[in-house]
Amino acid sequence: MTSKRAQPEALLPAVASGEPDAVDRTIRRYAPLVWSLARSMGFDGPSAEDVVQDVFIDVWESAARYDPNRSEEATFIAMIARRRLIDLRRRLGRRAQPEALEVELAEDAPEVGSSLELSDEARRARAAIGKLEPKQRQLVDLWIVRGLSHSQIAAATGLPLGTVKSGLRRALEQVRALLAGGSPGVVEEASR
Amino acid sequence: MSSSPHDPRNPLRPDSEPEESLVEMDEELAAAIHMAMSSSTDEGDLPDDLEARLQRDAELFFWPSPTRTLPEPGAERRSGRPAMAVVALAVAAAVLLLFLPGVLTTAASPELLRTALLDEASDAVVLEWMRLEDAWGQQAEGDVVWSDERQEGYMRFRALERNEPTAAQYQLWIFDSSRPDSPPVDGGVFDIVGSAEQVVPIDAALEVDHAYQFAITLERPGGVVVSSQERLLLLAAED
């Protein structure tokens, strides 16, 4: 990731020092993000609210480890949230059942919206994902956002397991190349 | 997305399906993609009182007041369960009141909860860690305290190698004599943040009837469901 927009003032260093104002501002700034991640991974109602509370405890515990020179604050918090969400869903056995999804890979694959105030990295990721083919985008959505395993994606979509794996690999390589400023065309060509 | 030590590429999946390792990604990339794509889902608005509950949790976390009354069950969480870390801190604050009335401003710690468990649980056992062959555990010392009755326990470590949480995390495994044919119970993932003594609460995923052995492995971030035990570092077992 090369070019970056001006980012809002990092709050976690002040949180690590126990500054009440920074704690309040962190909650106001990032609670909608964590809520959105929890909802997108299938948590709803009370369980979604509980897990958001757990994520913020993790954030408070990890605040001192945040280095603004290494990652954006929103991304750092999203990483913490994903770790907690994935762990909790594994414990609760909440992984979505493929037979209930009846996924059909189609041209109307998930669009990338803009209802959240995105970090610079997420904004560029959104642009990169927008350049994927709809089927690739849907594979990425099923794996990263919905949390399905490769086998479950294969079962849900009817695609052969190898096709799921290779499709995901190509999609992620393409996103990574786009984020790094490389040529997605080269990646596409190389991965064929 | 660099390959710096801060964001190494890791298989993020917590499940143990072998094919997951065929597509690897770094956590930062996954987080950025997830943020970008979840903004298109029907996430709904933040519940009205969630922000207030987050603020109350934060107050308990950062400024545990020994005079604060513990929240009534259900008062702080929709599911009737306060955040576990908040409960631990609040209980520790209460322990401070009972045992250390002159240190009311001291932050609560798992050390005090461990001491309280040893004092109060008649069935609590203390088992010392035994080093295995892994290099990361060669200097490690400590023990594990566990009460079957209270389903509560704490691990104590000294000189266990510090881990980078985005690259690997330690995971505890509890061997339950009532499950002889099942894999050990997941006791939770944790990080070692320095060389000083560290007490880590045990977070058992299932109820344990009788814990007779504990093992520490090093796993990918978030832990695994069943460990391959490639990096088995420490063991604590009954005689």
mmCIF file with all atom_site columns, all heavy atoms in Angstrom, chain A residues 136 139-140 150 159-174 187-188 191-192, chain B residues 19 22-23:
data_model
loop_
_atom_site.group_PDB
_atom_site.id
_atom_site.type_symbol
_atom_site.label_atom_id
_atom_site.label_alt_id
_atom_site.label_comp_id
_atom_site.label_asym_id
_atom_site.label_entity_id
_atom_site.label_seq_id
_atom_site.pdbx_PDB_ins_code
_atom_site.Cartn_x
_atom_site.Cartn_y
_atom_site.Cartn_z
_atom_site.occupancy
_atom_site.B_iso_or_equiv
_atom_site.pdbx_formal_charge
_atom_site.auth_seq_id
_atom_site.auth_comp_id
_atom_site.auth_asym_id
_atom_site.auth_atom_id
_atom_site.pdbx_PDB_model_num
ATOM 1   N N   . GLN A 1 136 ? -15.506 -14.124 -8.613  1.00 0.00 ? 136 GLN A N   1
ATOM 2   C CA  . GLN A 1 136 ? -14.365 -14.057 -7.709  1.00 0.00 ? 136 GLN A CA  1
ATOM 3   C C   . GLN A 1 136 ? -14.758 -13.306 -6.434  1.00 0.00 ? 136 GLN A C   1
ATOM 4   O O   . GLN A 1 136 ? -14.403 -13.683 -5.329  1.00 0.00 ? 136 GLN A O   1
ATOM 5   C CB  . GLN A 1 136 ? -13.204 -13.306 -8.375  1.00 0.00 ? 136 GLN A CB  1
ATOM 6   C CG  . GLN A 1 136 ? -12.452 -14.079 -9.435  1.00 0.00 ? 136 GLN A CG  1
ATOM 7   C CD  . GLN A 1 136 ? -11.291 -13.263 -9.975  1.00 0.00 ? 136 GLN A CD  1
ATOM 8   O OE1 . GLN A 1 136 ? -11.496 -12.123 -10.414 1.00 0.00 ? 136 GLN A OE1 1
ATOM 9   N NE2 . GLN A 1 136 ? -10.105 -13.808 -9.932  1.00 0.00 ? 136 GLN A NE2 1
ATOM 10  N N   . LEU A 1 139 ? -16.681 -15.459 -4.115  1.00 0.00 ? 139 LEU A N   1
ATOM 11  C CA  . LEU A 1 139 ? -15.843 -16.417 -3.403  1.00 0.00 ? 139 LEU A CA  1
ATOM 12  C C   . LEU A 1 139 ? -15.147 -15.744 -2.227  1.00 0.00 ? 139 LEU A C   1
ATOM 13  O O   . LEU A 1 139 ? -15.081 -16.291 -1.126  1.00 0.00 ? 139 LEU A O   1
ATOM 14  C CB  . LEU A 1 139 ? -14.796 -17.016 -4.360  1.00 0.00 ? 139 LEU A CB  1
ATOM 15  C CG  . LEU A 1 139 ? -15.301 -18.010 -5.404  1.00 0.00 ? 139 LEU A CG  1
ATOM 16  C CD1 . LEU A 1 139 ? -14.155 -18.442 -6.321  1.00 0.00 ? 139 LEU A CD1 1
ATOM 17  C CD2 . LEU A 1 139 ? -15.928 -19.226 -4.742  1.00 0.00 ? 139 LEU A CD2 1
ATOM 18  N N   . VAL A 1 140 ? -14.630 -14.540 -2.462  1.00 0.00 ? 140 VAL A N   1
ATOM 19  C CA  . VAL A 1 140 ? -13.963 -13.801 -1.388  1.00 0.00 ? 140 VAL A CA  1
ATOM 20  C C   . VAL A 1 140 ? -14.953 -13.481 -0.272  1.00 0.00 ? 140 VAL A C   1
ATOM 21  O O   . VAL A 1 140 ? -14.640 -13.601 0.922   1.00 0.00 ? 140 VAL A O   1
ATOM 22  C CB  . VAL A 1 140 ? -13.325 -12.509 -1.945  1.00 0.00 ? 140 VAL A CB  1
ATOM 23  C CG1 . VAL A 1 140 ? -12.813 -11.621 -0.812  1.00 0.00 ? 140 VAL A CG1 1
ATOM 24  C CG2 . VAL A 1 140 ? -12.187 -12.858 -2.891  1.00 0.00 ? 140 VAL A CG2 1
ATOM 25  N N   . HIS A 1 150 ? -13.259 -23.829 2.619   1.00 0.00 ? 150 HIS A N   1
ATOM 26  C CA  . HIS A 1 150 ? -13.234 -24.119 1.183   1.00 0.00 ? 150 HIS A CA  1
ATOM 27  C C   . HIS A 1 150 ? -14.227 -25.221 0.833   1.00 0.00 ? 150 HIS A C   1
ATOM 28  O O   . HIS A 1 150 ? -14.921 -25.164 -0.179  1.00 0.00 ? 150 HIS A O   1
ATOM 29  C CB  . HIS A 1 150 ? -11.826 -24.545 0.753   1.00 0.00 ? 150 HIS A CB  1
ATOM 30  C CG  . HIS A 1 150 ? -10.823 -23.453 0.920   1.00 0.00 ? 150 HIS A CG  1
ATOM 31  N ND1 . HIS A 1 150 ? -9.466  -23.678 0.899   1.00 0.00 ? 150 HIS A ND1 1
ATOM 32  C CD2 . HIS A 1 150 ? -10.984 -22.139 1.154   1.00 0.00 ? 150 HIS A CD2 1
ATOM 33  C CE1 . HIS A 1 150 ? -8.837  -22.541 1.090   1.00 0.00 ? 150 HIS A CE1 1
ATOM 34  N NE2 . HIS A 1 150 ? -9.729  -21.595 1.251   1.00 0.00 ? 150 HIS A NE2 1
ATOM 35  N N   . LEU A 1 159 ? -19.249 -25.806 -6.985  1.00 0.00 ? 159 LEU A N   1
ATOM 36  C CA  . LEU A 1 159 ? -17.975 -25.780 -7.698  1.00 0.00 ? 159 LEU A CA  1
ATOM 37  C C   . LEU A 1 159 ? -17.069 -26.878 -7.163  1.00 0.00 ? 159 LEU A C   1
ATOM 38  O O   . LEU A 1 159 ? -17.122 -27.201 -5.966  1.00 0.00 ? 159 LEU A O   1
ATOM 39  C CB  . LEU A 1 159 ? -17.284 -24.426 -7.494  1.00 0.00 ? 159 LEU A CB  1
ATOM 40  C CG  . LEU A 1 159 ? -17.912 -23.212 -8.160  1.00 0.00 ? 159 LEU A CG  1
ATOM 41  C CD1 . LEU A 1 159 ? -17.183 -21.947 -7.729  1.00 0.00 ? 159 LEU A CD1 1
ATOM 42  C CD2 . LEU A 1 159 ? -17.855 -23.350 -9.674  1.00 0.00 ? 159 LEU A CD2 1
ATOM 43  N N   . PRO A 1 160 ? -16.214 -27.434 -7.997  1.00 0.00 ? 160 PRO A N   1
ATOM 44  C CA  . PRO A 1 160 ? -15.224 -28.384 -7.486  1.00 0.00 ? 160 PRO A CA  1
ATOM 45  C C   . PRO A 1 160 ? -14.302 -27.691 -6.474  1.00 0.00 ? 160 PRO A C   1
ATOM 46  O O   . PRO A 1 160 ? -14.022 -26.491 -6.598  1.00 0.00 ? 160 PRO A O   1
ATOM 47  C CB  . PRO A 1 160 ? -14.440 -28.796 -8.735  1.00 0.00 ? 160 PRO A CB  1
ATOM 48  C CG  . PRO A 1 160 ? -15.349 -28.463 -9.881  1.00 0.00 ? 160 PRO A CG  1
ATOM 49  C CD  . PRO A 1 160 ? -16.128 -27.265 -9.452  1.00 0.00 ? 160 PRO A CD  1
ATOM 50  N N   . LEU A 1 161 ? -13.852 -28.469 -5.487  1.00 0.00 ? 161 LEU A N   1
ATOM 51  C CA  . LEU A 1 161 ? -13.005 -27.894 -4.445  1.00 0.00 ? 161 LEU A CA  1
ATOM 52  C C   . LEU A 1 161 ? -11.771 -27.214 -5.033  1.00 0.00 ? 161 LEU A C   1
ATOM 53  O O   . LEU A 1 161 ? -11.372 -26.127 -4.609  1.00 0.00 ? 161 LEU A O   1
ATOM 54  C CB  . LEU A 1 161 ? -12.590 -28.996 -3.462  1.00 0.00 ? 161 LEU A CB  1
ATOM 55  C CG  . LEU A 1 161 ? -11.759 -28.565 -2.253  1.00 0.00 ? 161 LEU A CG  1
ATOM 56  C CD1 . LEU A 1 161 ? -12.507 -27.537 -1.403  1.00 0.00 ? 161 LEU A CD1 1
ATOM 57  C CD2 . LEU A 1 161 ? -11.390 -29.789 -1.408  1.00 0.00 ? 161 LEU A CD2 1
ATOM 58  N N   . GLY A 1 162 ? -11.160 -27.856 -6.015  1.00 0.00 ? 162 GLY A N   1
ATOM 59  C CA  . GLY A 1 162 ? -9.968  -27.273 -6.630  1.00 0.00 ? 162 GLY A CA  1
ATOM 60  C C   . GLY A 1 162 ? -10.256 -25.940 -7.297  1.00 0.00 ? 162 GLY A C   1
ATOM 61  O O   . GLY A 1 162 ? -9.432  -25.026 -7.273  1.00 0.00 ? 162 GLY A O   1
ATOM 62  N N   . THR A 1 163 ? -11.445 -25.824 -7.863  1.00 0.00 ? 163 THR A N   1
ATOM 63  C CA  . THR A 1 163 ? -11.823 -24.560 -8.507  1.00 0.00 ? 163 THR A CA  1
ATOM 64  C C   . THR A 1 163 ? -12.011 -23.462 -7.455  1.00 0.00 ? 163 THR A C   1
ATOM 65  O O   . THR A 1 163 ? -11.638 -22.307 -7.680  1.00 0.00 ? 163 THR A O   1
ATOM 66  C CB  . THR A 1 163 ? -13.132 -24.745 -9.298  1.00 0.00 ? 163 THR A CB  1
ATOM 67  O OG1 . THR A 1 163 ? -12.943 -25.813 -10.229 1.00 0.00 ? 163 THR A OG1 1
ATOM 68  C CG2 . THR A 1 163 ? -13.510 -23.479 -10.035 1.00 0.00 ? 163 THR A CG2 1
ATOM 69  N N   . VAL A 1 164 ? -12.577 -23.847 -6.318  1.00 0.00 ? 164 VAL A N   1
ATOM 70  C CA  . VAL A 1 164 ? -12.735 -22.874 -5.229  1.00 0.00 ? 164 VAL A CA  1
ATOM 71  C C   . VAL A 1 164 ? -11.367 -22.368 -4.787  1.00 0.00 ? 164 VAL A C   1
ATOM 72  O O   . VAL A 1 164 ? -11.131 -21.161 -4.652  1.00 0.00 ? 164 VAL A O   1
ATOM 73  C CB  . VAL A 1 164 ? -13.490 -23.508 -4.035  1.00 0.00 ? 164 VAL A CB  1
ATOM 74  C CG1 . VAL A 1 164 ? -13.456 -22.580 -2.828  1.00 0.00 ? 164 VAL A CG1 1
ATOM 75  C CG2 . VAL A 1 164 ? -14.929 -23.820 -4.423  1.00 0.00 ? 164 VAL A CG2 1
ATOM 76  N N   . LYS A 1 165 ? -10.464 -23.312 -4.561  1.00 0.00 ? 165 LYS A N   1
ATOM 77  C CA  . LYS A 1 165 ? -9.128  -22.929 -4.076  1.00 0.00 ? 165 LYS A CA  1
ATOM 78  C C   . LYS A 1 165 ? -8.410  -22.047 -5.087  1.00 0.00 ? 165 LYS A C   1
ATOM 79  O O   . LYS A 1 165 ? -7.851  -21.003 -4.734  1.00 0.00 ? 165 LYS A O   1
ATOM 80  C CB  . LYS A 1 165 ? -8.297  -24.180 -3.807  1.00 0.00 ? 165 LYS A CB  1
ATOM 81  C CG  . LYS A 1 165 ? -8.778  -25.006 -2.636  1.00 0.00 ? 165 LYS A CG  1
ATOM 82  C CD  . LYS A 1 165 ? -7.894  -26.260 -2.526  1.00 0.00 ? 165 LYS A CD  1
ATOM 83  C CE  . LYS A 1 165 ? -8.442  -27.227 -1.498  1.00 0.00 ? 165 LYS A CE  1
ATOM 84  N NZ  . LYS A 1 165 ? -7.660  -28.470 -1.464  1.00 0.00 ? 165 LYS A NZ  1
ATOM 85  N N   . SER A 1 166 ? -8.413  -22.479 -6.341  1.00 0.00 ? 166 SER A N   1
ATOM 86  C CA  . SER A 1 166 ? -7.675  -21.703 -7.345  1.00 0.00 ? 166 SER A CA  1
ATOM 87  C C   . SER A 1 166 ? -8.345  -20.355 -7.581  1.00 0.00 ? 166 SER A C   1
ATOM 88  O O   . SER A 1 166 ? -7.667  -19.335 -7.772  1.00 0.00 ? 166 SER A O   1
ATOM 89  C CB  . SER A 1 166 ? -7.569  -22.485 -8.652  1.00 0.00 ? 166 SER A CB  1
ATOM 90  O OG  . SER A 1 166 ? -8.867  -22.785 -9.149  1.00 0.00 ? 166 SER A OG  1
ATOM 91  N N   . GLY A 1 167 ? -9.673  -20.336 -7.525  1.00 0.00 ? 167 GLY A N   1
ATOM 92  C CA  . GLY A 1 167 ? -10.371 -19.065 -7.699  1.00 0.00 ? 167 GLY A CA  1
ATOM 93  C C   . GLY A 1 167 ? -10.059 -18.090 -6.586  1.00 0.00 ? 167 GLY A C   1
ATOM 94  O O   . GLY A 1 167 ? -9.840  -16.892 -6.816  1.00 0.00 ? 167 GLY A O   1
ATOM 95  N N   . LEU A 1 168 ? -10.038 -18.601 -5.358  1.00 0.00 ? 168 LEU A N   1
ATOM 96  C CA  . LEU A 1 168 ? -9.708  -17.741 -4.225  1.00 0.00 ? 168 LEU A CA  1
ATOM 97  C C   . LEU A 1 168 ? -8.265  -17.258 -4.301  1.00 0.00 ? 168 LEU A C   1
ATOM 98  O O   . LEU A 1 168 ? -7.966  -16.098 -4.024  1.00 0.00 ? 168 LEU A O   1
ATOM 99  C CB  . LEU A 1 168 ? -9.925  -18.502 -2.917  1.00 0.00 ? 168 LEU A CB  1
ATOM 100 C CG  . LEU A 1 168 ? -11.334 -18.438 -2.337  1.00 0.00 ? 168 LEU A CG  1
ATOM 101 C CD1 . LEU A 1 168 ? -11.479 -19.414 -1.182  1.00 0.00 ? 168 LEU A CD1 1
ATOM 102 C CD2 . LEU A 1 168 ? -11.661 -17.021 -1.876  1.00 0.00 ? 168 LEU A CD2 1
ATOM 103 N N   . ARG A 1 169 ? -7.390  -18.184 -4.680  1.00 0.00 ? 169 ARG A N   1
ATOM 104 C CA  . ARG A 1 169 ? -5.978  -17.807 -4.754  1.00 0.00 ? 169 ARG A CA  1
ATOM 105 C C   . ARG A 1 169 ? -5.788  -16.679 -5.768  1.00 0.00 ? 169 ARG A C   1
ATOM 106 O O   . ARG A 1 169 ? -5.123  -15.681 -5.499  1.00 0.00 ? 169 ARG A O   1
ATOM 107 C CB  . ARG A 1 169 ? -5.125  -19.016 -5.133  1.00 0.00 ? 169 ARG A CB  1
ATOM 108 C CG  . ARG A 1 169 ? -3.632  -18.697 -5.155  1.00 0.00 ? 169 ARG A CG  1
ATOM 109 C CD  . ARG A 1 169 ? -2.791  -19.893 -5.584  1.00 0.00 ? 169 ARG A CD  1
ATOM 110 N NE  . ARG A 1 169 ? -2.839  -20.962 -4.625  1.00 0.00 ? 169 ARG A NE  1
ATOM 111 C CZ  . ARG A 1 169 ? -3.424  -22.138 -4.825  1.00 0.00 ? 169 ARG A CZ  1
ATOM 112 N NH1 . ARG A 1 169 ? -4.012  -22.397 -5.983  1.00 0.00 ? 169 ARG A NH1 1
ATOM 113 N NH2 . ARG A 1 169 ? -3.427  -23.060 -3.904  1.00 0.00 ? 169 ARG A NH2 1
ATOM 114 N N   . ARG A 1 170 ? -6.412  -16.825 -6.923  1.00 0.00 ? 170 ARG A N   1
ATOM 115 C CA  . ARG A 1 170 ? -6.292  -15.794 -7.963  1.00 0.00 ? 170 ARG A CA  1
ATOM 116 C C   . ARG A 1 170 ? -6.886  -14.474 -7.490  1.00 0.00 ? 170 ARG A C   1
ATOM 117 O O   . ARG A 1 170 ? -6.308  -13.410 -7.694  1.00 0.00 ? 170 ARG A O   1
ATOM 118 C CB  . ARG A 1 170 ? -7.002  -16.245 -9.246  1.00 0.00 ? 170 ARG A CB  1
ATOM 119 C CG  . ARG A 1 170 ? -6.150  -17.122 -10.139 1.00 0.00 ? 170 ARG A CG  1
ATOM 120 C CD  . ARG A 1 170 ? -6.722  -17.180 -11.557 1.00 0.00 ? 170 ARG A CD  1
ATOM 121 N NE  . ARG A 1 170 ? -8.041  -17.780 -11.597 1.00 0.00 ? 170 ARG A NE  1
ATOM 122 C CZ  . ARG A 1 170 ? -8.248  -19.085 -11.725 1.00 0.00 ? 170 ARG A CZ  1
ATOM 123 N NH1 . ARG A 1 170 ? -7.223  -19.917 -11.790 1.00 0.00 ? 170 ARG A NH1 1
ATOM 124 N NH2 . ARG A 1 170 ? -9.467  -19.579 -11.764 1.00 0.00 ? 170 ARG A NH2 1
ATOM 125 N N   . ALA A 1 171 ? -8.034  -14.572 -6.829  1.00 0.00 ? 171 ALA A N   1
ATOM 126 C CA  . ALA A 1 171 ? -8.696  -13.344 -6.390  1.00 0.00 ? 171 ALA A CA  1
ATOM 127 C C   . ALA A 1 171 ? -7.847  -12.599 -5.368  1.00 0.00 ? 171 ALA A C   1
ATOM 128 O O   . ALA A 1 171 ? -7.673  -11.377 -5.450  1.00 0.00 ? 171 ALA A O   1
ATOM 129 C CB  . ALA A 1 171 ? -10.060 -13.688 -5.791  1.00 0.00 ? 171 ALA A CB  1
ATOM 130 N N   . LEU A 1 172 ? -7.299  -13.334 -4.408  1.00 0.00 ? 172 LEU A N   1
ATOM 131 C CA  . LEU A 1 172 ? -6.504  -12.675 -3.373  1.00 0.00 ? 172 LEU A CA  1
ATOM 132 C C   . LEU A 1 172 ? -5.194  -12.145 -3.931  1.00 0.00 ? 172 LEU A C   1
ATOM 133 O O   . LEU A 1 172 ? -4.731  -11.069 -3.542  1.00 0.00 ? 172 LEU A O   1
ATOM 134 C CB  . LEU A 1 172 ? -6.250  -13.634 -2.211  1.00 0.00 ? 172 LEU A CB  1
ATOM 135 C CG  . LEU A 1 172 ? -7.509  -14.010 -1.419  1.00 0.00 ? 172 LEU A CG  1
ATOM 136 C CD1 . LEU A 1 172 ? -7.187  -15.029 -0.336  1.00 0.00 ? 172 LEU A CD1 1
ATOM 137 C CD2 . LEU A 1 172 ? -8.149  -12.781 -0.799  1.00 0.00 ? 172 LEU A CD2 1
ATOM 138 N N   . GLU A 1 173 ? -4.605  -12.884 -4.838  1.00 0.00 ? 173 GLU A N   1
ATOM 139 C CA  . GLU A 1 173 ? -3.379  -12.386 -5.470  1.00 0.00 ? 173 GLU A CA  1
ATOM 140 C C   . GLU A 1 173 ? -3.669  -11.098 -6.232  1.00 0.00 ? 173 GLU A C   1
ATOM 141 O O   . GLU A 1 173 ? -2.864  -10.158 -6.225  1.00 0.00 ? 173 GLU A O   1
ATOM 142 C CB  . GLU A 1 173 ? -2.797  -13.443 -6.415  1.00 0.00 ? 173 GLU A CB  1
ATOM 143 C CG  . GLU A 1 173 ? -2.107  -14.597 -5.704  1.00 0.00 ? 173 GLU A CG  1
ATOM 144 C CD  . GLU A 1 173 ? -1.695  -15.704 -6.666  1.00 0.00 ? 173 GLU A CD  1
ATOM 145 O OE1 . GLU A 1 173 ? -2.082  -15.637 -7.859  1.00 0.00 ? 173 GLU A OE1 1
ATOM 146 O OE2 . GLU A 1 173 ? -1.000  -16.619 -6.213  1.00 0.00 ? 173 GLU A OE2 1
ATOM 147 N N   . GLN A 1 174 ? -4.812  -11.071 -6.871  1.00 0.00 ? 174 GLN A N   1
ATOM 148 C CA  . GLN A 1 174 ? -5.180  -9.885  -7.644  1.00 0.00 ? 174 GLN A CA  1
ATOM 149 C C   . GLN A 1 174 ? -5.422  -8.689  -6.715  1.00 0.00 ? 174 GLN A C   1
ATOM 150 O O   . GLN A 1 174 ? -4.956  -7.583  -6.991  1.00 0.00 ? 174 GLN A O   1
ATOM 151 C CB  . GLN A 1 174 ? -6.432  -10.174 -8.461  1.00 0.00 ? 174 GLN A CB  1
ATOM 152 C CG  . GLN A 1 174 ? -6.763  -9.096  -9.470  1.00 0.00 ? 174 GLN A CG  1
ATOM 153 C CD  . GLN A 1 174 ? -7.870  -9.548  -10.426 1.00 0.00 ? 174 GLN A CD  1
ATOM 154 O OE1 . GLN A 1 174 ? -8.086  -10.738 -10.621 1.00 0.00 ? 174 GLN A OE1 1
ATOM 155 N NE2 . GLN A 1 174 ? -8.563  -8.596  -11.004 1.00 0.00 ? 174 GLN A NE2 1
ATOM 156 N N   . VAL A 1 187 ? -1.103  -10.392 -13.000 1.00 0.00 ? 187 VAL A N   1
ATOM 157 C CA  . VAL A 1 187 ? -1.489  -11.455 -12.065 1.00 0.00 ? 187 VAL A CA  1
ATOM 158 C C   . VAL A 1 187 ? -2.493  -12.385 -12.711 1.00 0.00 ? 187 VAL A C   1
ATOM 159 O O   . VAL A 1 187 ? -2.375  -13.599 -12.636 1.00 0.00 ? 187 VAL A O   1
ATOM 160 C CB  . VAL A 1 187 ? -2.085  -10.843 -10.769 1.00 0.00 ? 187 VAL A CB  1
ATOM 161 C CG1 . VAL A 1 187 ? -2.614  -11.951 -9.875  1.00 0.00 ? 187 VAL A CG1 1
ATOM 162 C CG2 . VAL A 1 187 ? -1.040  -10.014 -10.064 1.00 0.00 ? 187 VAL A CG2 1
ATOM 163 N N   . GLU A 1 188 ? -3.469  -11.781 -13.369 1.00 0.00 ? 188 GLU A N   1
ATOM 164 C CA  . GLU A 1 188 ? -4.495  -12.596 -14.009 1.00 0.00 ? 188 GLU A CA  1
ATOM 165 C C   . GLU A 1 188 ? -3.868  -13.529 -15.036 1.00 0.00 ? 188 GLU A C   1
ATOM 166 O O   . GLU A 1 188 ? -4.179  -14.700 -15.121 1.00 0.00 ? 188 GLU A O   1
ATOM 167 C CB  . GLU A 1 188 ? -5.530  -11.704 -14.694 1.00 0.00 ? 188 GLU A CB  1
ATOM 168 C CG  . GLU A 1 188 ? -6.491  -11.058 -13.706 1.00 0.00 ? 188 GLU A CG  1
ATOM 169 C CD  . GLU A 1 188 ? -7.464  -10.141 -14.417 1.00 0.00 ? 188 GLU A CD  1
ATOM 170 O OE1 . GLU A 1 188 ? -7.074  -9.489  -15.398 1.00 0.00 ? 188 GLU A OE1 1
ATOM 171 O OE2 . GLU A 1 188 ? -8.601  -10.075 -13.977 1.00 0.00 ? 188 GLU A OE2 1
ATOM 172 N N   . SER A 1 191 ? -1.861  -16.334 -13.541 1.00 0.00 ? 191 SER A N   1
ATOM 173 C CA  . SER A 1 191 ? -2.600  -17.330 -12.765 1.00 0.00 ? 191 SER A CA  1
ATOM 174 C C   . SER A 1 191 ? -3.473  -18.221 -13.631 1.00 0.00 ? 191 SER A C   1
ATOM 175 O O   . SER A 1 191 ? -4.105  -19.122 -13.144 1.00 0.00 ? 191 SER A O   1
ATOM 176 C CB  . SER A 1 191 ? -3.482  -16.615 -11.722 1.00 0.00 ? 191 SER A CB  1
ATOM 177 O OG  . SER A 1 191 ? -4.409  -15.798 -12.387 1.00 0.00 ? 191 SER A OG  1
ATOM 178 N N   . ARG A 1 192 ? -3.499  -17.937 -14.895 1.00 0.00 ? 192 ARG A N   1
ATOM 179 C CA  . ARG A 1 192 ? -4.346  -18.759 -15.766 1.00 0.00 ? 192 ARG A CA  1
ATOM 180 C C   . ARG A 1 192 ? -3.694  -20.127 -16.001 1.00 0.00 ? 192 ARG A C   1
ATOM 181 O O   . ARG A 1 192 ? -2.505  -20.255 -16.015 1.00 0.00 ? 192 ARG A O   1
ATOM 182 C CB  . ARG A 1 192 ? -4.560  -18.049 -17.090 1.00 0.00 ? 192 ARG A CB  1
ATOM 183 C CG  . ARG A 1 192 ? -5.581  -16.936 -16.923 1.00 0.00 ? 192 ARG A CG  1
ATOM 184 C CD  . ARG A 1 192 ? -6.128  -16.496 -18.264 1.00 0.00 ? 192 ARG A CD  1
ATOM 185 N NE  . ARG A 1 192 ? -7.123  -15.461 -18.045 1.00 0.00 ? 192 ARG A NE  1
ATOM 186 C CZ  . ARG A 1 192 ? -6.970  -14.190 -18.460 1.00 0.00 ? 192 ARG A CZ  1
ATOM 187 N NH1 . ARG A 1 192 ? -5.921  -13.829 -19.116 1.00 0.00 ? 192 ARG A NH1 1
ATOM 188 N NH2 . ARG A 1 192 ? -7.902  -13.301 -18.218 1.00 0.00 ? 192 ARG A NH2 1
ATOM 189 N N   . GLU B 2 19  ? -6.905  -28.135 3.726   1.00 0.00 ? 19  GLU B N   1
ATOM 190 C CA  . GLU B 2 19  ? -6.891  -27.360 2.487   1.00 0.00 ? 19  GLU B CA  1
ATOM 191 C C   . GLU B 2 19  ? -6.841  -25.866 2.728   1.00 0.00 ? 19  GLU B C   1
ATOM 192 O O   . GLU B 2 19  ? -6.471  -25.098 1.863   1.00 0.00 ? 19  GLU B O   1
ATOM 193 C CB  . GLU B 2 19  ? -8.104  -27.700 1.620   1.00 0.00 ? 19  GLU B CB  1
ATOM 194 C CG  . GLU B 2 19  ? -9.413  -27.112 2.096   1.00 0.00 ? 19  GLU B CG  1
ATOM 195 C CD  . GLU B 2 19  ? -10.219 -28.114 2.888   1.00 0.00 ? 19  GLU B CD  1
ATOM 196 O OE1 . GLU B 2 19  ? -9.621  -29.046 3.421   1.00 0.00 ? 19  GLU B OE1 1
ATOM 197 O OE2 . GLU B 2 19  ? -11.442 -27.959 2.963   1.00 0.00 ? 19  GLU B OE2 1
ATOM 198 N N   . LEU B 2 22  ? -3.750  -23.927 1.839   1.00 0.00 ? 22  LEU B N   1
ATOM 199 C CA  . LEU B 2 22  ? -3.350  -23.746 0.454   1.00 0.00 ? 22  LEU B CA  1
ATOM 200 C C   . LEU B 2 22  ? -3.541  -22.309 -0.011  1.00 0.00 ? 22  LEU B C   1
ATOM 201 O O   . LEU B 2 22  ? -2.901  -21.862 -0.944  1.00 0.00 ? 22  LEU B O   1
ATOM 202 C CB  . LEU B 2 22  ? -4.160  -24.687 -0.446  1.00 0.00 ? 22  LEU B CB  1
ATOM 203 C CG  . LEU B 2 22  ? -3.876  -26.171 -0.206  1.00 0.00 ? 22  LEU B CG  1
ATOM 204 C CD1 . LEU B 2 22  ? -4.772  -27.015 -1.076  1.00 0.00 ? 22  LEU B CD1 1
ATOM 205 C CD2 . LEU B 2 22  ? -2.418  -26.478 -0.461  1.00 0.00 ? 22  LEU B CD2 1
ATOM 206 N N   . VAL B 2 23  ? -4.465  -21.612 0.593   1.00 0.00 ? 23  VAL B N   1
ATOM 207 C CA  . VAL B 2 23  ? -4.616  -20.206 0.288   1.00 0.00 ? 23  VAL B CA  1
ATOM 208 C C   . VAL B 2 23  ? -4.294  -19.431 1.551   1.00 0.00 ? 23  VAL B C   1
ATOM 209 O O   . VAL B 2 23  ? -5.003  -19.524 2.533   1.00 0.00 ? 23  VAL B O   1
ATOM 210 C CB  . VAL B 2 23  ? -6.055  -19.877 -0.158  1.00 0.00 ? 23  VAL B CB  1
ATOM 211 C CG1 . VAL B 2 23  ? -6.198  -18.382 -0.408  1.00 0.00 ? 23  VAL B CG1 1
ATOM 212 C CG2 . VAL B 2 23  ? -6.391  -20.650 -1.416  1.00 0.00 ? 23  VAL B CG2 1
#
